[in-house]
Every structure is written in C-alpha cells, then in structure tokens.
C-alpha cells in the first residue's frame, strides 16, 4: 500500500481548496462564526478543517471511501486485518471491544488493574466480570499485569467465560506476556482483547515491547494521543482472526460512538500513521536514546532513582520510554514532587505515594529533556515540609469481595455515609486514585478497614480522587 498517502488530510485539503459553502453543522461555518478571541488563540486553520465526515469530508454515500482508505492504511501499517478509528477516546473503544465479545449476563475475564473506563463498561453492559488479580510487588507496592499462569487458573475456575480483557502496559509502563496469555485463551477457543492504550507506538520500533497484533491478540485498543501523535481523544482499535466478528465490533462501536465524528481527530490519526511508517524507526530511536540519557542522569541526582530492574521478574517487559522515578530518598511523596514541578511548568503523569512517572516520546529533544532534568534537580534541597504517610494495603487486602455485579450496585438505591462508617458496606460508586484511574474499590465490592485507611490517608497526603461523588471522601455512596 502507498503509505505516502493520507486520504483524510488530502480530503480536507481538497475541500478547503474548492472553497465550498456548508449549510450543515458545524455552526461556526469554518470559523466565520467563531469568536475572534478564540480564533486568535486556536488559529483559523483548526476551524477551517473542522468538517463533517458526511457531506463534507466525503459525500453522503461515503462513495470516495476516504475513511475506509485511511483505516486500511493503518491496518497495513500495524499488521492488523481490520482497523477502526474512534474519536471518543479509548474509554469508548474498550467498551465497544468488551461488548463485541460478551453481552449482558455473560462472563468475561478482566484484569483487576483495569482503568475506570473498563468498570464503566461493565456497568453499561451488564457483563459479569471474573477478576484476574494482577501480579503484585509487595516491596514496591506496584501491580503488574497478570501472566499466563494467573489466566490459566482463572479460566479453570470459570470455563464459561466468553474471553478476556487484558490491560497492558500499565501506567508504570510494565507489560504482560501477551503471547503467552493469548495461547492459554486460544487453547480454549476464547478471544483475547488487549487494552493497550499506552502502546500505540509499539509496532514501529523493534526495541519497544511486544505489539498485541504481533503477539497473537484478537483485538486491541490503542490511545494514539498518549504516546503517539494523535490529538486528544483519538483512538484506534485493531482486529485480526475470526474469533471476533468485524461486523459485530462495528455495530457495538456504532451503539456507543458519536455520529458527529471529528475530521480533525481522524486527520491526526492519518498523519501520524504516515509519519510512523516513513520515519518511525528514526524518531523512536532518538526518543529511546534520550530516555537512556534521562535515566543515567537521574541516577546521579541524590535521593532520586529511576526504576527498571525492579520490575522484573513480575513484569514480562517494560517500556523504556516510560520513566518511573522514585522520590522517596528525598523524604517526599510523588504528589509533592508533581505539584512542585507543575509550579515550574513541568507537567508529569502518574504520581503515587513515592513515585512520579514521565514519558519520553518522538516529540522530545535536547531542549525538553534538559528542562526536565533541571526540574528534577530542583527537587533536591527544597523544603517540602512534613507529609503524613499513606497506609498502603497488602496484596491480600486489595482483593475485595464482590458481593454484587457492578451494574446492579451502581443502579441500586444508595445513600451517602461517612467513609469511616463504610466497613462492610457495598460500594455503589467507583473510587479511583487518579492517575492512573484504577478503582481502589468498584461498584459491588465491599469496603474493608484496610481500604478505608488507604483512601483516608491517601487523600490526606495528596491523592486525587476523580470519580467519587465526594472527591474529598468525607462520604461515600453505598448500596442502601
């Protein structure tokens, strides 16, 4: 296939060159109706390229097949048989993937270290999760994806499941043995869905972790905006084999997705695919070299340590572009470090009780990396003040009883009670430290003293709770 082509970008360019007048949405009419102050900030080009897919980017019959051509090029680039673009983020894509494999009342193996979007998918669908516990590093308090052994044991206990949803890599960049897990499931003729939101760049360089389509997964979801070049909310799901029907997958996506898809987001996907096919190896090689330099320089900063060997043997692989920095040697939390860096206009991703994570991508260079290192060195010697510790639960204490299905608990009659009175009660909401957005307790699970202490102490220390009705966790919503 001709990867120098970018069908969506070409269609936008042709539309703009033709100078057509639209009597359709969007109502700003290519920026003519936009507030001049908004145009001054965002630029007229963004509005002029904000077109309808139907009767804009293409005709009402999609007869020129602009989107179809772009999706076929993406599939070819990453060794998939079918590719679907989504403009609602991987949060929607993963829900579509789950619904393509299991329906209401059916069971699905699900990694318990799942993002809140997965739990939301369980609530929406009525699918019955069979949780597969992650591999937990008790020394460092990090959950890694489950491996073939854990999946084989779960499958033996629940042979009627329709398949599995595996989350890899984690927000810490640790990866599962996808091929090993896939073979366990395929031996039972079950499909494997991989939530590979953080791994969109994996197909384009040999020194990155295994790519789900190469590792025999049936269906995978990627967030091209996370580590790639897509605009925010740009997402793709890829399919191969015959265990999941492409028609069923498309129908499930249509059920949840928007009918007002963004040409801007589609264009960013199209352009990023072309860039990666043409220059991905070169650009990612540079990123890998910069990441190596960052790790080496971090080791020279007193009190800081870049984790790497610590992830083995529980993690099968680790993405070298995801740099996890332990700041506990400075006597501070990751929350404090993140806030301090943000005040200096350096914005990091994940933070927890003792770590922060930064990502290096193909967009970084000497300037950005040097700024990061100046910021990290500035952590040393700063008076952060005393921060109370987080009461961390053990692996066993993270294994909560699921007394009700997530859907049933979420929609049940509920009441708000003080968190310290919630022991023994069934949660009616998700409570997710964010990032990474993995629920500490999901709807249907039972509060324990250990989880209550963890949440109380976490919020006191600086943990951010994204989705609870009361983000300060003075109260929680429980089943009546």
């Amino acid at each position: 296939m001709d990867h120098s082509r970018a069908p969506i970008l070409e269609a936008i360019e042709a539309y703009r060159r033709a100078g057509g007048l639209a009597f359709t949405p969007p109502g700003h009419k290519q920026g003519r109706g936009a507030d001049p102050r908004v145009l001054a900030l965002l630029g007229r080009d963004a509005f002029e390229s904000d077109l309808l897919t139907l009767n804009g980017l293409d005709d009402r019959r999609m007869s020129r097949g602009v989107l179809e051509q772009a999706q076929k090029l993406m599939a070819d680039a990453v060794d998939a048989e079918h590719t679907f673009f989504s403009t609602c983020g991987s949060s929607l894509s993963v829900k579509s993937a789950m619904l393509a494999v299991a329906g209401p009342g059916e069971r699905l193996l699900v990694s318990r270290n799942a993002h809140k979007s997965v739990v939301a998918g369980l609530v929406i669908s009525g699918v019955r999760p069979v949780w597969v516990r992650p591999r937990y590093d008790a020394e460092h308090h990090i959950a890694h994806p489950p491996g073939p052994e854990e999946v084989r044991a779960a499958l033996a206990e629940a042979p009627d499941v329709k398949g599995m949803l595996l989350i890899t890599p984690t927000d810490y960049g640790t990866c599962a043995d996808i091929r090993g897990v896939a073979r366990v499931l395929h031996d039972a003729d079950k499909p494997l869905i991989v939530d590979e939101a953080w791994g969109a760049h994996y197909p384009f360089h040999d020194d990155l972790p295994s790519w789900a389509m190469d590792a025999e997964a049936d269906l995978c979801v990627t967030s091209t905006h996370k580590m790639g070049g897509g605009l925010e909310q740009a997402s793709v799901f890829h399919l191969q084999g015959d265990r999941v029907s492409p028609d069923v997958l498309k129908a499930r996506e249509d059920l949840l997705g928007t009918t007002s898809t963004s040409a801007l987001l589609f264009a960013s996907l199209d352009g990023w695919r072309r860039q990666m096919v043409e220059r991905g190896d070169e650009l990612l090689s540079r990123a890998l070299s910069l990441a190596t330099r960052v790790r080496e320089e971090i080791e020279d900063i007193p009190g800081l340590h870049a984790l790497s060997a610590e992830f083995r043997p529980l993690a099968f692989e680790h993405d070298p572009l995801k740099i996890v920095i332990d700041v506990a040697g400075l006597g501070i939390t990751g929350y404090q470090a993140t806030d301090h860096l943000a005040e200096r206009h350096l914005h990091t991703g994940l933070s927890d009780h003792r770590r922060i994570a930064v990502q290096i991508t193909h967009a970084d260079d000497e300037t950005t990396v040097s700024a990061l290192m100046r910021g990290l060195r500035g952590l040393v010697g700063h008076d952060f003040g005393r921060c109370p510790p987080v009461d961390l639960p053990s692996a066993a204490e993270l294994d909560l009883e699921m007394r009700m299905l997530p859907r049933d608990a979420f929609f049940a009659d509920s009441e708000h009670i003080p968190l310290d009175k919630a022991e023994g009660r069934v949660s009616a909401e998700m409570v997710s430290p964010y990032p990474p957005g993995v629920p500490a307790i999901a709807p249907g699970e039972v509060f324990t003293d250990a989880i209550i202490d963890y949440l109380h102490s976490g919020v006191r220390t600086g943990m951010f709770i994204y989705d609870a009705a009361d983000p300060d966790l003075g109260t929680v919503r429980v089943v009546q």
Side-chain angles (χ1 to χ4, degrees), residues 111-114 132-138 140-146 167 169-175 311 314-315 350 352 355 395 398 436 438:
S111 304
R112 180 55 183 85
N113 60 320
V132 183
R133 297 293 162 183
R135 294 177 169 180
Y136 192 71
D137 180 342
H140 298 94
H141 295 278
I142 298 177
H144 302 297
I167 290 83
T170 67
D171 237 34
Y172 295 91
T174 62
C175 305
F311 296 133
L314 294 177
L350 176 144
D352 66 17
R355 289 171 288 260
L398 287 168
V438 173

Side-chain angles (χ1 to χ4, degrees), residues 87-137:
T87 62
C88 295
S90 288
S91 293
L92 179 135
S93 298
V94 75
K95 294 178 180 73
S96 303
M98 292 165 63
L99 285 168
V101 170
E106 295 179 326
R107 299 213 288 176
L108 184 73
L109 297 181
V110 181
S111 304
R112 180 55 183 85
N113 60 320
H115 187 266
K116 57 173 291 184
S117 61
V118 172
V119 179
L122 297 171
V123 170
I124 290 168
S125 66
V127 168
R128 304 171 65 92
V130 176
W131 297 122
V132 183
R133 297 293 162 183
R135 294 177 169 180
Y136 192 71
D137 180 342

Side-chain angles (χ1 to χ4, degrees), residues 170-194:
T170 67
D171 237 34
Y172 295 91
T174 62
C175 305
D177 177 2
I178 299 174
R179 180 173 280 103
V181 171
R183 290 181 176 175
V184 169
L185 290 159
H186 292 168
D187 285 346
D189 197 27
K190 312 282 186 183
L192 172 63
I193 308 166
V194 175

Side-chain angles (χ1 to χ4, degrees), residues 13 42 53 66 115 121 134 224 226 270 304 342 344 349 419 439 462 477:
E13 183 181 26
L42 299 184
T53 305
V66 173
H115 187 266
T224 50
K226 280 187 165 67
D270 203 21
L304 298 187
R344 285 145 185 81
L419 175 60
R477 193 165 68 93

Side-chain angles (χ1 to χ4, degrees), residues 73 120 148 187 211 369 435 474:
L73 283 164
D187 285 346
W211 165 238
V369 163

Side-chain angles (χ1 to χ4, degrees), residues 248-271:
V248 169
L249 178 59
K250 184 65 174 67
R252 301 301 187 267
E253 197 277 336
D254 284 346
L255 187 69
L256 298 174
T258 177
T259 56
S260 302
T261 51
S262 168
L264 287 170
L265 270 63
F266 282 161
S268 73
L269 292 169
D270 203 21

